[in-house]
Amino acid sequence: MFFVDPLETAGLGNRSYLAGGRHSALVVDPPRDIDRVIAAAARRGVRIALVVETHLHNDYVTGGLDLARATGAQYLVPAAAPVSFDRVPVADGDTTPVDEGLTLRAMATPGHTPHHTSYVLEEDGRAVAAFTGGSLLIGSVGRPDLVEPRLTAALARAQHASAHRLADELDDAVPVLPTHGFGSFCSSAQADGNTTTIGAERARNDALVKDVDTFVAELLAGLDDVPAYYAHMGPANAAGPRPLDLTPPAPADAEQIARRLAAGEWVVDLRSRVAFAEGHVAGSFNFEGEGQLATYLAWLIPWGRPVTLLASSATDVAHAQRELARVGIGRPVAAATGDPRSWVRTAEELRSFRRSDFAGLAAARERDDRPVVLDVRRDTERRAGAIVGSVHIPVHELPKRLDEVPDGVVWVHCAGGMRAAIAASLLDATGREVVAVDDGFGAAEAAGLTLSDPAVDAPDGDTGTAPATA
């Protein structure tokens, strides 16, 4: 008998897998924090014999090298992946024993990267699971544009061919177990469901139901912006990440927080957007500890800038530190917890700003307050509908475009409230008067706000980019 246990990294929208038999197991695309993997193997009572990478990851720092060294496992990496450490190079068709009756077979599936490799787990010669990494996903495929712009079109065609190879060589009942597709920007679209099979994908996946030209054209047309920190993930994984340091950061008092802000460092408040709006350290930024903390903080922060974390508890700091380490943000330089009033010096007060909903925004417009409406969603979201007269600056572009926000009270919105809170904190840190719209965009029209097609009505220079709910 074999088992497959998914290991969720929800904040990044990825899955790793622990799979094996009675005695030995393999780990596919392990997360940076390998203690979770080792604990999962201990619960199963198995030895980790193989650590396997489907490709050099662009969206997180792998724990593969660290895990292999810690457990003595073989480290399987596609032979064509340009790495600078010792590993077992894997080529198409290579097989490796896992446990009694269990074998892992490598299958070249280029597309997400040129060297991408899927792995088929076979029990007594019969395929029982396909670990497809960033190749065939649930209802979609991995993005082909993260390696080199000149390769994008060719890799999109390779994705189509790789999906067909998987469908042609594997039975309909074989489970498809991808790494991406659960919120990761490495996916060309988000997963429709949590599980799938070769047969289910054969019936619905665009790569399998559309001809190659149509598939490629639609895939390329739908690609989103690439998070800025992705540029640092591939090189880090190719070099071989250092062991993870999750020791607690040094405590920071009010004086030190003030000095770090004055030095241009980032002070990040992890509390809820409600708590942050009610009272926060002037100049600090709000990235809620729950949700997509790592993705958006890593996307917006100048790379390498020191980070101080503010939170309600040490547990919240530890959780955030783990999340940020997964995307290569090193150990925070300091942290403070407890009552926010202790984070400011005696003569200073906490800063605050208003929160509202789309009904509140509609009422402000009716009062002729002439509020500035700032839409921080991405382009594809805005194309589906936008508030007439709103200014569009995607949240990941806002730090460099703050001077483009018109004068006046700024009502900032996104699709659900999280990104609006980030944007409001960025504006508030510059002294602007802001109102964070904490509401789902579906309520905008019901509140009486007129929506338009931005292709017709958006102001000149309106730029921006994938469906999101935050």
Side-chain angles (χ1 to χ4, degrees):
M1 290 294 294
F2 72 95
F3 71 88
V4 177
D5 293 339
L7 304 173
E8 302 275 358
T9 304
L12 295 178
N14 285 326
R15 285 180 182 171
S16 306
Y17 298 92
L18 175 73
R22 293 181 57 190
H23 306 290
S24 300
L26 63 99
V27 179
V28 181
D29 291 340
R32 183 78 172 99
D33 44 335
I34 65 171
D35 56 327
R36 293 194 295 142
V37 184
I38 293 172
R43 287 192 296 270
R44 276 285 184 180
V46 294
R47 175 180 66 91
I48 297 176
L50 303 174
V51 177
V52 175
E53 303 282 9
T54 58
H55 61 292
L56 284 185
H57 303 284
N58 288 287
D59 61 334
Y60 71 96
V61 179
T62 181
L65 183 60
D66 196 13
L67 181 61
R69 288 173 173 169
T71 62
Q74 295 185 71
Y75 191 24
L76 278 57
V77 179
V83 299
S84 57
F85 50 83
D86 291 335
R87 90 288 196 197
V88 177
V90 177
D92 185 45
D94 286 352
T95 59
T96 307
V98 178
D99 201 301
E100 183 177 353
L102 288 177
T103 302
L104 193 69
R105 176 166 59 90
M107 181 184 293
T109 50
H112 187 46
T113 67
H115 60 265
H116 190 281
T117 301
S118 297
Y119 297 88
V120 179
L121 184 65
E122 298 179 341
E123 183 178 46
D124 298 327
R126 179 178 63 89
V128 292
F131 302 102
T132 55
S135 183
L136 187 65
L137 310 185
I138 300 178
S140 64
V141 295
R143 295 173 64 147
D145 63 326
L146 301 180
V147 177
E148 159 61 52
R150 292 172 296 180
L151 298 178
T152 298
L155 287 176
R157 289 183 173 273
Q159 277 290 51
H160 188 271
S162 292
H164 278 267
R165 183 185 182 191
L166 287 162
D168 291 344
E169 296 188 17
L170 300 176
D171 293 339
D172 281 354
V174 175
V176 173
L177 304 170
T179 300
H180 302 314
F182 309 97
S184 169
F185 282 80
C186 275
S187 173
S188 61
Q190 299 316 304
D192 180 15
N194 289 313
T195 61
T196 192
T197 62
I198 290 293
E201 293 310 304
R202 191 194 308 279
R204 62 156 177 186
N205 196 297
D206 282 354
L208 297 173
V209 300
K210 295 183 179 180
D211 66 86
V212 63
D213 291 334
T214 301
F215 167 77
V216 169
E218 293 180 356
L219 177 63
L220 298 184
L223 293 174
D224 303 334
D225 281 355
V226 178
Y229 72 91
Y230 277 27
H232 305 281
M233 299 297 96
N237 289 324
R242 286 188 250 172
L244 184 60
D245 181 4
L246 291 177
T247 56
D253 59 19
E255 287 290 343
Q256 185 178 140
I257 291 170
R259 287 197 303 269
R260 293 192 177 282
L261 282 168
E265 298 182 10
W266 273 39
V267 174
V268 174
D269 192 324
L270 302 169
R271 295 176 301 147
S272 74
R273 52 187 181 257
V274 175
F276 183 87
E278 290 176 348
H280 56 271
V281 177
S284 63
F285 304 133
N286 183 213
F287 290 81
E288 292 178 305
E290 299 298 327
Q292 293 180 287
L293 164 69
T295 295
Y296 282 99
L297 180 54
W299 198 339
L300 272 66
I301 191 171
W303 199 250
R305 188 71 57 89
V307 176
T308 294
L309 300 179
L310 308 179
S312 298
S313 69
T315 299
D316 293 340
V317 170
H319 172 76
Q321 183 176 349
R322 182 179 290 264
E323 287 275 322
L324 298 178
R326 292 168 178 161
V327 292
I329 294 181
R331 187 165 167 270
V333 294
T337 59
D339 187 340
R341 288 172 294 186
S342 69
W343 301 341
V344 295
R345 294 173 293 196
T346 304
E348 297 173 340
E349 295 183 356
L350 295 174
R351 189 172 170 87
S352 63
F353 55 75
R354 289 181 289 158
R355 296 171 52 253
S356 189
D357 53 19
F358 284 109
L361 172 57
R365 279 190 155 186
E366 289 177 1
R367 292 193 301 269
D368 196 29
D369 288 351
R370 299 193 177 181
V372 176
V373 180
L374 177 62
D375 180 351
V376 297
R377 298 174 301 156
R378 297 188 296 276
D379 274 354
T380 53
E381 297 171 89
R382 188 168 168 88
R383 289 191 206 114
I387 296 172
V388 169
S390 60
V391 176
H392 183 216
I393 304 176
V395 68
H396 59 273
E397 297 180 9
L398 187 57
K400 295 182 179 180
R401 299 177 59 187
L402 289 167
D403 59 351
E404 297 180 31
V405 181
D407 293 337
V409 179
V410 183
W411 289 65
V412 58
H413 82 84
C414 60
M418 182 194 74
R419 287 172 293 169
I422 295 171
S425 72
L426 294 172
L427 289 161
D428 175 81
T430 69
R432 295 295 301 269
E433 184 178 353
V434 297
V435 181
V437 177
D438 193 358
D439 201 358
F441 189 71
E445 190 168 19
L449 294 164
T450 304
L451 304 187
S452 65
D453 178 356
V456 176
D457 299 310
D460 291 342
D462 186 359
T463 59
T465 288
T469 58

